[in-house]
Structure formats: C-alpha cells, structure tokens
Amino acid sequence: MSVFTLDAAAREAVLAGELAALTERHRRACPPYRRILDAIDSRPPYERVVDLPWLPVRLFKTHELRSVPSEEVFRVLTSSGTTGQRPSRVYLDREAAAAQPRMLAATLRAVLGERRLPMLIVDGRSVVRDPTLSARGAGVLGMMNFGRDHTFVLDEQGEVDTEAVEAFLARHGRKPFLIFGFTFMVWLYLLDLGADLSEGVLIHSGGWKRLAEQAVDNDGFRRRLAADCGLTRVHNFYGMVEQIGTVFLEGPDGDGLYCPDFADVVIRDPDTWREAPPGVPGLIEVVSTLPTSYPGHALLTEDLGMVHGVDDGHWPGKRFTVLGRLPRAEARGCSDTFGQGGR
C-alpha cells in the first residue's frame, strides 16, 4: 500500500487531529514537555498542523524527553555529530521501535517495489563492524534490511574494490538492483567505477555541504550520474534520528522531496515564526505521527528549506527542498564528516 496518497487538504484533515492528540498524550506523560507547554501557554484546541507547539530539535541534546516509564524503554537512539558535540537521545518503547522500520519500508517501497533487491553499498564493510557504530554505520546497517547479496564498493583499505563490483554487476546488472550511499561518497566513488549502472536504483542522503563547496547541486549530481553511469533512478531523502522512521523522499523527476501520508513539513519565517508561503525560504519544521514514546512529533530543525509547490508533482502534497543549514548551526551530515574521524 502506498504512503504517498494524500493531497494537502486531506493530509491536513488527518494529521491535525492525530498530532493534536499526540500533543496531549505527551503533555500528560512527559513532565519536561508539559513544563515547556505551560511556559509558552500552549493550550488546545489546535485546529491546524501549523498551530501545534513545536520543539527545537536541539532540545533532545540537552533534555531527557520521553513519554514512557524508564522500564518500558526498549531502545535509546543517539544522533550523529562531529567530535565534541553532544548527541541527541531518542527513547523508544517496543511499539515505537516496531513502527519505525515498518513505516520506513512502506516509504521506500514506492521506489524499490515489494521485493528485496540485490544491493551495492557505496562504503566499506568496516563501517558496520565498528562496535560503537557511527551514524553512517547505523544508516548503512538500516538500509541493508531492504537489500540482499550485499556488496561493498570499498575494500578494507578504503579503495574501490573493482573486482567485487564487477562480479556483482555480472550477477545482477541486467535487472533492477539497489544502490545505497551517503551523497558525498556516491559522488566520490560511484562515478569512478566506469560501470553501466542503468538498472540501478540509487537511494542517497547527507553530505551536500561538501558537494556545495565544489559547486555541485542536485541537478548537476543527477546529470553526472546519468551521463557517466547511465543511472537515472535517483532518490535523495531527508530525515533525522529525532523523528526516526520518517523520511521525506525525492520524486522520480528530482523535482523535490515529498512527505509520506503520516508526515508533513511547515516552512516557518525565522523572524515571525509564521508559515512561509511557497517560494519563500525559511526554517523547516517536520511533523510526524510516528513519535509516540517521546514528544518528537513536531520539531523545528536547524535546516533552511522552501516549498516549491503543493499537489503539483509526481506525488500529492507539498514538494520542497532543503537549502542548507542555518548559519552557525552544528554540522550534521553523515558523510560530511567522512575522513574526519566519522561520527
């Protein structure tokens, strides 16, 4: 079943009520969250998604925010960060931990189909062997659930393993296969393969800061992959550990990121905090019905973005792009720290 079905009006009608109910659930169950809402005098009714109280995503670095008793915490996720940064901590009970991979799979199914595809990973196997498991490693490990016959592009020395890649393509290169990697590593290594990847479906994320420094934008990224590798099925995604399981997926035409039915974005003017209209940049607020064990259902990020259109693209709902980090915000990209000690 597709999770890209709701137009903007239908999405608003569904999410406003569900998110308002979540707000009250977390108000009752999470004392720090309740104190925050009391301090800003936030009270129902919340008639629209834009009316919901939001939390700055950075609060998860400084406060323990959970809506379940400590004995019901099944897993604690930590965000990535460069050396010296305090990570976010996200508390999941068994219900929330089960919903996360299920809804992520439903989202990616829109471009990968129902069956697990052979998988080429633009990284080295060592990234998933580290017992401390960096955010990059966790990302690779999580995506491996959607593939089979996993083959790593890099060897143990961090060099392109041409023999392994050629063997993979000999087995699978004539039918659809999955490619996953963080954006900068895809740019750094995939283009050097000199291989026909025309049957591949690339899922990538993170690392745009380093590409921007090389004057490479999304259009240029996609053009180069098509010209050098024959790779045309390319899907960027945007997501964060503080809203685990929710990803905003790039459409087939590369015309922007789309929201699954259980999530949405609000672009807020950083001076007034009002919703910015399409075509006007602002701070990205992400909303999702998945965070049930912690109050992460409405989060103001430190990313700048812009809505380009509503109900006018490949999938219904808002179509938006991420423009970059707020000035002086912490670096977050999983591959932006590649070669700098990981994350």
Side-chain angles (χ1 to χ4, degrees), residues 1-338:
M1 184 177 67
S2 175
V3 295
F4 293 98
T5 65
L6 297 178
D7 62 26
R11 185 186 308 266
E12 175 73 19
V14 171
L15 291 185
E18 292 188 11
L19 293 169
L22 265 181
T23 299
E24 296 312 298
R25 171 177 172 168
H26 293 310
R27 188 198 299 269
R28 292 189 299 270
C30 180
Y33 182 66
R34 181 168 62 248
R35 289 194 291 271
I36 292 169
L37 297 192
D38 289 345
I40 62 175
D41 195 26
S42 178
R43 302 289 174 187
Y46 305 113
E47 296 181 352
R48 302 177 303 155
V49 168
V50 72
D51 297 331
L52 292 160
W54 42 261
L55 293 182
V57 71
R58 191 174 290 222
L59 276 184
F60 289 87
K61 297 179 182 293
T62 58
H63 293 71
E64 182 176 318
L65 297 169
R66 56 179 169 83
S67 301
V68 293
S70 57
E71 62 270 18
E72 292 183 16
V73 173
F74 174 68
R75 183 173 297 147
V76 180
L77 302 177
T78 56
S79 70
S80 54
T82 55
T83 303
Q85 293 178 3
R86 186 172 179 176
S88 295
R89 294 176 67 82
V90 173
Y91 298 86
L92 303 179
D93 62 5
R94 288 185 178 274
E95 179 186 357
Q100 175 263 322
R102 185 174 68 250
M103 300 313 293
L104 178 60
T107 303
L108 295 180
R109 200 173 293 133
V111 296
L112 296 179
E114 297 290 336
R115 294 190 173 188
R116 289 194 301 164
L117 298 176
M119 185 173 183
L120 195 62
I121 302 164
V122 191
D123 215 313
R125 189 175 295 277
S126 60
V127 77
V128 298
R129 286 179 179 159
D130 184 349
T132 62
L133 202 62
S134 67
R136 198 171 94 234
V140 170
L141 203 59
M143 283 297 300
M144 286 174 70
N145 292 322
F146 302 104
R148 60 181 175 84
D149 193 13
H150 307 100
T151 299
F152 290 83
V153 169
L154 304 183
D155 61 21
E156 297 293 340
Q157 288 71 47
E159 303 293 332
V160 173
D161 190 340
T162 304
E163 184 176 333
V165 173
E166 288 178 349
F168 175 90
L169 292 175
R171 293 193 302 273
H172 304 297
R174 290 179 295 278
K175 293 182 178 180
F177 59 92
L178 169 61
I179 308 171
F180 174 72
F182 291 100
T183 305
F184 185 74
M185 298 187 70
V186 169
W187 181 261
L188 196 62
Y189 295 109
L190 204 62
L191 294 172
D192 289 340
L193 292 179
D196 178 8
L197 304 177
S198 56
E199 291 295 328
V201 182
L202 172 65
I203 306 291
H204 70 102
S205 184
W208 283 108
K209 179 181 177 183
R210 292 181 69 177
L211 286 185
E213 291 170 354
Q214 299 183 28
V216 179
D217 60 10
N218 190 47
D219 288 342
F221 180 82
R222 293 173 66 93
R223 283 197 303 270
R224 182 76 183 276
L225 287 171
D228 288 19
C229 310
L231 190 54
T232 58
R233 284 173 284 184
V234 177
H235 300 273
N236 185 24
F237 72 86
Y238 174 65
M240 61 201 68
V241 73
E242 293 87 356
Q243 238 177 50
I244 191 72
T246 303
V247 296
F248 302 90
L249 190 62
E250 184 178 35
D253 301 326
D255 59 350
L257 299 162
Y258 291 81
C259 311
D261 290 346
F262 53 88
D264 207 352
V265 295
V266 177
I267 306 298
R268 292 194 180 271
D269 184 312
D271 294 321
T272 67
W273 301 121
R274 295 191 182 97
E275 183 175 17
V280 176
L283 279 173
I284 300 173
E285 176 190 344
V286 290
V287 301
S288 170
T289 60
L290 292 191
T292 55
S293 59
Y294 65 99
H297 57 299
L299 300 178
L300 189 73
T301 74
E302 296 172 343
D303 295 319
L304 296 169
M306 183 168 64
V307 170
H308 295 280
V310 181
D311 297 333
D312 67 344
H314 182 82
W315 291 313
K318 292 174 184 172
R319 179 172 56 84
F320 74 102
T321 55
V322 180
L323 302 176
R325 298 287 287 157
L326 184 70
R328 296 184 300 279
E330 295 177 357
R332 290 173 62 101
C334 285
S335 64
D336 284 334
T337 53
F338 177 67

